[in-house]
Amino acid sequence: MQQFLTLEGGYLVIAFVIMLITLFVTTRPFMAKGSLKKGTLSVFLVLSFFISSHFYVTTSRMAEVKEAFDADQIVICESRMQRKVAQTVIVQKSNSWFMDGDNFASPHYTREFHSARCIIK
């Protein structure tokens, strides 16, 4: 559950705002009867599908990245520290990188890189 909230927290907030907008619009006098129930249910189902699909795809990629890292393959991670030059970091187990939970860490870097923001080269 903690991993779900960490990965999908921003999308859950956006979905909550969309649900509030849906509630506001479907309760207006110009809307047809029954639009509150139909609109809320359909928007909720669509948002639930998209958020759960994103979570599944992200966790699957994280598992693939971890397996590749354990096999000493090259993993490329997004670096948000420098946005102009070197926007990616090459992570490899043989170059003193290690896993700290879901994060890649190294004694040569001050920050860790979450495996959800990494891909296999």
Side-chain angles (χ1 to χ4, degrees), residues 1-2 15 19 24 26 30 39 49 56 65 76:
M1 185 63 168
Q2 177 65 28
M19 288 302 296
F24 178 77
T26 55
F30 57 83
F49 172 74
Y56 173 75
V65 165
I76 301 172

Side-chain angles (χ1 to χ4, degrees), residues 3-37:
Q3 185 181 30
F4 179 78
L5 292 176
T6 301
L7 295 174
E8 306 300 323
Y11 297 116
L12 291 173
V13 171
I14 293 169
F16 180 74
V17 171
I18 291 172
M19 288 302 296
L20 288 177
I21 292 169
T22 303
L23 283 172
F24 178 77
V25 170
T26 55
T27 56
R28 300 296 96 201
F30 57 83
M31 296 298 290
K33 286 192 177 219
S35 62
L36 174 65
K37 188 186 291 184

Side-chain angles (χ1 to χ4, degrees), residues 65 68-69 72-80 85-98 104-109 111 113 117-121:
V65 165
F69 178 75
D72 201 28
Q73 293 179 349
I74 295 174
V75 175
I76 301 172
C77 294
E78 175 187 22
S79 175
R80 295 183 180 176
V85 180
Q87 293 181 356
T88 59
V89 174
I90 304 293
V91 175
Q92 196 169 15
K93 197 173 198 176
S94 61
N95 290 337
S96 72
W97 286 90
F98 59 94
F104 292 110
S106 173
H108 305 294
Y109 283 88
R111 64 183 302 242
F113 299 95
R117 305 292 170 244
C118 301
I119 58 171
I120 303 167
K121 183 173 182 182

Side-chain angles (χ1 to χ4, degrees), residues 36-106:
L36 174 65
K37 188 186 291 184
K38 291 177 191 175
T40 315
L41 180 64
S42 61
V43 169
F44 178 77
L45 290 174
V46 167
L47 291 173
S48 298
F49 172 74
F50 284 135
I51 290 173
S52 60
S53 298
H54 183 264
F55 180 71
Y56 173 75
V57 168
T58 303
T59 52
S60 298
R61 187 180 66 245
M62 287 171 60
E64 291 173 4
V65 165
K66 287 180 185 179
E67 288 175 15
F69 178 75
D70 288 336
D72 201 28
Q73 293 179 349
I74 295 174
V75 175
I76 301 172
C77 294
E78 175 187 22
S79 175
R80 295 183 180 176
M81 189 178 275
Q82 298 175 355
R83 296 304 289 170
K84 294 182 178 150
V85 180
Q87 293 181 356
T88 59
V89 174
I90 304 293
V91 175
Q92 196 169 15
K93 197 173 198 176
S94 61
N95 290 337
S96 72
W97 286 90
F98 59 94
M99 290 293 294
D100 183 21
D102 287 332
N103 297 324
F104 292 110
S106 173

